[in-house]
Amino acid sequence: MNQPENYVDSIHNESYEAQYSGKKITNKSMISDRGREKESLGGYWSFGIDQYDTCLRAKWYEEVYIDQDGNYIPMDFSFDEWEKVLVPSSWNTNKEKYLLYEGSAVYTRTFLYLDHGEERVFLKFGAVNYDAKVFLNKQYLGQHKGGSTPFYIEVTEYLQEQNRILVVANNTRKQDQVPCKNTDWFNYGGIYRDVELIRLPATYIKDFSIGLVPDGSFSKIKVELEIEGPDQDGHALLKIDQLGIDQTIEVREGKGSVVIEAQPNLWSPDHPVLYKTSLTYQDDSVHDKIGFREIRVDGREIVLNGKPIFLKGISAHEESVKNGKAVTDEEIIENFKLAKEMNCNYMRLAHYPHTERAAQIADEMGILLWEEIPVYWSIEFHNPETYQDAENQLTELIRRDRNRASVIVWSVGNENADTEDRVSFMSALAMKAKELDPTRLVSAACMLDHVNHIIADRLADYLDVIGANQYYGWYQTEFNNLIKLFENSNLSKPVIITEFGADAKAGHRGTVDQKGTEDCQQDIYKKQVAVLDQIPYVRGLSPWILYDFRCPRRLHPITQNYYNTKGLLSEDKSHKKLAFYVMQQYYQGK
Ligand code: GCB
């Protein structure tokens, strides 16, 4: 159809998004990057809240300031004069007025790139919530969806000496996304993990996985690698000096794999032994610190390094009062220390992939981890595009963290109603996780049948471990039905009670019957552990949750005030609630 003469694309084109949706950035462009030299593009970027998406509509990234007649065009933006914000950070914690903002925001900065003779250059984004459209030197590089996983873009042909990078980050909640509109956590926005440049030779190591062969012998290390670039045939070299490993690996058509006999000291929460490891192919090397351990299920037991283990855990969101989702190493270490103080050996990182630093630090500190993708509540299970998004997030997570000894479980979701569409969607994810990583356990936090009080979920057939969320004594107000639940459930697999808990405003005291008091929360915890301790197939717990977290759904002015107060600690972690000590004592004796 011909446009009328007075049609103005930037204001009349309501299909403007279509031009950006063809170029997707997915797990396909990921590269193995642990231990590589990277240049951070973090620091102060120019920032503009762009509620009506005018940058994308009017193509500000093209930086056209003068028209065909040589006249200056009136401008609706000024990159140089915009306010500066720190990347990475959540915009919500930067200024009070941005706290509740959801929508598009434009980030841009200039940077100098000096060619050091490298042949290929990649941009890495640790995470941008949720939709990121990236531009470099006026060129559109593509769109990434998914708010918690890293993405990589090759920029070799776009780089100049002087560069402008521009990112439109949009955290609008949408029903077809993963997660969808409704969640029980706060929707932070922005580029909240680092942005980095990675310089590589023409042929480079794209993917590298290493771990014990889970055959019970603890004596075979399997290595797989993928090479990208023109020289796809040759030899890679794996070195682990402390194990005397100096192994050549044949690479054919870009792929190599080998099983090496070795006797590593096994990694466990008590002995988090890591081995310095390097892999070299021609001019490219990656370096990592690797722990070797075996995790499997045997009947109704979870078995770590050949011995049954009880997962003494706690759930945690990725959040801090000061930094929102842009948590620092110090804050992650503080969380693990608090968990250890509670005598935990395990943590559930809910409900989306936390920063890759979490698993790296857990490897060092000796904490087992459950990692999860945000297939949460009412996902569009019938929608194939939503499935692709979920599968892509799962793949990005597994490829990012599969060399971390601490990670023992991949979770494909949380509390989804048991429909046909959901079973096929989530079973496909469970099978995908197994295909990508046959060495770990696959699970999901299932919603139970609270009408008949039974642990029954059709997805369980596809899981190694059944995650069970239950709130007897709280949402399920009759506590004694918890006993019925276990009487009615006859399970042949191990169960992790992935959640139980109760609200308690820090410092708010009263009777055990008064909802929202520490006393009521403590009472529910005492009753819960007394019952759970009797159930042989309950092989782990991750009560909800380590500390209070921001939550738009929680409007009770006395006990919540926009926080989910089921934490065992206050939101700033300064106050331990009574229930913290219940778990500390229970785990001590376990
Ligand atoms: C749940 C959800 C979790 C919520 C929690 C609650 O079952 O999995 O995300 O925050 O309950 O507090 O209601």
Side-chain angles (χ1 to χ4, degrees):
M1 204 174 63
N2 285 341
Q3 305 291 9
E5 276 193 6
N6 62 354
Y7 179 93
V8 179
D9 195 73
S10 65
I11 59 177
H12 296 128
N13 179 4
E14 278 309 317
S15 309
Y16 69 96
E17 277 184 284
Q19 65 193 304
Y20 303 108
S21 62
K23 229 178 179 182
K24 294 272 187 297
I25 305 163
T26 67
N27 67 80
K28 301 236 163 16
S29 57
M30 284 183 90
I31 57 180
S32 190
D33 72 359
R34 184 91 202 265
R36 288 188 185 283
E37 261 189 38
K38 300 182 196 110
E39 289 149 75
S40 175
L41 293 182
Y44 285 95
W45 290 45
S46 299
F47 175 78
I49 290 279
D50 184 15
Q51 201 174 8
Y52 288 5
D53 244 356
T54 312
C55 177
L56 296 178
R57 292 172 185 271
K59 304 190 177 140
W60 291 347
Y61 49 83
E62 288 183 347
E63 293 189 78
V64 178
Y65 298 110
I66 295 173
D67 68 13
Q68 305 115 307
D69 304 323
N71 296 320
Y72 282 104
I73 301 170
M75 286 291 132
D76 292 323
F77 66 94
S78 170
F79 295 149
D80 292 341
E81 285 147 310
W82 272 357
E83 71 168 302
K84 305 289 177 275
V85 301
L86 204 56
V87 169
S89 71
S90 298
W91 66 56
N92 320 73
T93 48
N94 284 339
K95 278 198 178 155
E96 180 90 46
K97 66 178 175 180
Y98 301 146
L99 178 68
L100 297 180
Y101 179 67
E102 294 184 314
S104 272
V106 183
Y107 289 79
T108 182
R109 67 163 288 175
T110 55
F111 65 95
L112 198 62
Y113 167 75
L114 297 178
D115 191 336
H116 295 158
E118 60 283 332
E119 287 148 303
R120 302 178 79 163
V121 188
F122 293 80
L123 256 180
K124 175 188 182 184
F125 287 83
V128 179
N129 193 24
Y130 176 94
D131 175 325
K133 297 188 181 72
V134 183
F135 302 82
L136 184 64
N137 299 330
K138 308 178 186 178
Q139 304 288 315
Y140 178 48
L141 302 184
Q143 174 191 34
H144 180 263
K145 285 188 175 192
S148 320
T149 41
F151 57 96
Y152 300 77
I153 316 166
E154 179 158 14
V155 292
T156 318
E157 60 182 293
Y158 301 97
L159 274 177
Q160 302 159 5
E161 197 172 309
Q162 297 283 350
N163 300 275
R164 173 174 293 288
I165 182 172
L166 183 147
V167 179
V168 179
N170 188 335
N171 72 335
T172 305
R173 288 169 295 112
K174 293 184 182 162
Q175 193 49 34
D176 64 351
Q177 296 183 161
V178 184
C180 56
K181 271 189 181 164
N182 190 26
T183 66
D184 199 51
W185 68 86
F186 189 80
N187 180 31
Y188 287 97
I191 306 176
Y192 68 95
R193 292 185 194 146
D194 218 345
V195 184
E196 295 166 302
L197 273 187
I198 309 175
R199 300 171 185 244
L200 296 180
T203 299
Y204 63 92
I205 301 163
K206 180 169 171 61
D207 198 11
F208 162 48
S209 72
I210 180 165
L212 271 192
V213 176
D215 64 356
S217 72
F218 316 120
S219 64
K220 295 187 199 92
I221 293 174
K222 183 168 185 185
V223 180
E224 288 186 288
L225 62 106
E226 201 184 316
I227 301 296
E228 178 101 356
D231 294 333
Q232 303 240 328
D233 297 298
H235 291 93
L237 183 68
L238 179 86
K239 272 170 91 75
I240 309 178
D241 289 346
Q242 287 159 288
L243 291 174
I245 294 177
D246 196 342
Q247 172 82 36
T248 303
I249 306 169
E250 191 177 353
V251 177
R252 285 280 159 264
E253 294 178 3
K255 297 238 171 10
S257 96
V258 73
V259 174
I260 307 164
E261 297 285 335
Q263 302 287 335
N265 288 321
L266 299 181
W267 185 100
S268 71
D270 292 335
H271 301 282
V273 203
L274 300 175
Y275 290 95
K276 277 193 183 156
T277 302
S278 70
L279 180 74
T280 303
Y281 184 78
Q282 299 182 351
D283 298 333
D284 191 29
S285 298
V286 288
H287 302 269
D288 207 339
K289 285 188 273 175
I290 304 290
F292 297 98
R293 55 102 194 92
E294 186 193 270
I295 189 78
R296 64 188 170 82
V297 156
D298 185 5
R300 301 195 303 189
E301 295 287 357
I302 296 170
V303 181
L304 177 71
N305 298 333
K307 295 190 198 96
I309 185 169
F310 187 85
L311 300 175
K312 300 188 270 185
I314 184 74
S315 296
H317 264 296
E318 180 179 56
E319 179 180 89
S320 78
V321 173
K322 182 158 174 256
N323 297 311
K325 268 182 77 61
V327 294
T328 61
D329 277 14
E330 291 69 33
E331 288 166 338
I332 297 166
I333 292 168
E334 179 184 37
N335 290 351
F336 289 145
K337 280 194 180 154
L338 285 162
K340 287 205 168 222
E341 191 183 332
M342 212 197 291
N343 297 313
C344 290
N345 56 16
Y346 163 74
M347 196 181 271
R348 174 183 181 206
L349 303 185
H351 282 295
Y352 40 73
H354 293 205
T355 162
E356 62 201 73
R357 289 295 297 144
Q360 292 167 3
I361 294 170
D363 267 14
E364 308 262 356
M365 291 179 67
I367 289 275
L368 295 160
L369 294 180
W370 159 300
E371 294 200 331
E372 184 162 313
I373 54 164
V375 176
Y376 185 90
W377 291 354
S378 282
I379 293 287
E380 279 193 357
F381 290 116
H382 61 274
N383 184 339
E385 282 181 25
T386 304
Y387 177 80
Q388 281 313 321
D389 188 347
E391 192 189 278
N392 185 56
Q393 293 186 42
L394 178 71
T395 308
E396 288 173 339
L397 170 64
I398 293 179
R399 288 211 26 213
R400 191 192 74 177
D401 283 358
R402 70 171 156 206
N403 289 339
R404 303 280 67 83
S406 52
V407 179
I408 54 168
V409 182
W410 304 123
S411 165
V412 295
N414 182 83
E415 280 187 359
N416 320 90
D418 193 0
T419 62
E420 286 296 331
D421 283 340
R422 173 263 186 179
V423 177
S424 54
F425 186 111
M426 291 183 73
S427 61
L429 288 176
M431 289 185 285
K432 183 73 191 175
K434 275 282 167 206
E435 175 201 319
L436 291 168
D437 179 9
T439 72
R440 285 182 176 77
L441 311 180
V442 173
S443 191
C446 299
M447 204 157 83
L448 311 182
D449 177 347
H450 292 306
V451 177
N452 302 302
H453 305 295
I454 182 165
I455 303 177
D457 186 319
R458 288 179 290 168
L459 186 63
D461 291 346
Y462 301 88
L463 307 177
D464 298 310
V465 179
I466 302 169
N469 288 358
Q470 51 85 8
Y471 282 87
Y472 289 90
W474 189 252
Y475 298 124
Q476 288 84 47
T477 49
E478 177 49 60
F479 181 79
N480 289 328
N481 284 334
L482 180 62
I483 300 161
K484 277 196 199 151
L485 177 94
F486 291 114
E487 284 169 359
N488 294 341
S489 307
N490 182 16
L491 297 169
S492 56
K493 293 184 179 184
V495 170
I496 299 174
I497 301 296
T498 30
E499 290 178 27
F500 67 86
D503 286 24
K505 166 97 182 139
H508 187 43
R509 301 293 305 270
T511 68
V512 294
D513 297 320
Q514 226 175 320
K515 299 274 189 230
T517 61
E518 286 195 32
D519 308 71
C520 173
Q521 185 192 45
Q522 179 194 39
D523 183 56
I524 290 171
Y525 267 75
K526 280 186 183 162
K527 289 179 181 156
Q528 280 274 354
V529 292
V531 172
L532 298 174
D533 194 48
Q534 303 302 309
I535 315 300
Y537 55 79
V538 170
R539 299 310 300 151
L541 310 177
S542 51
W544 195 250
I545 182 170
L546 185 59
Y547 50 92
D548 295 350
F549 58 98
R550 197 179 275 290
C551 184
R553 298 175 66 250
R554 307 293 177 174
L555 277 64
H556 194 290
I558 311 290
T559 59
Q560 299 175 323
N561 201 17
Y562 298 97
Y563 271 83
N564 182 315
T565 53
K566 294 193 185 65
L568 296 179
L569 299 152
S570 54
E571 73 269 21
D572 64 0
K573 307 175 211 172
S574 65
H575 175 92
K576 294 190 177 80
K577 304 181 194 174
L578 297 173
F580 178 95
Y581 300 101
V582 176
M583 289 318 296
Q584 185 182 51
Q585 205 183 351
Y586 176 67
Y587 285 156
Q588 189 174 22
K590 192 74 185 164

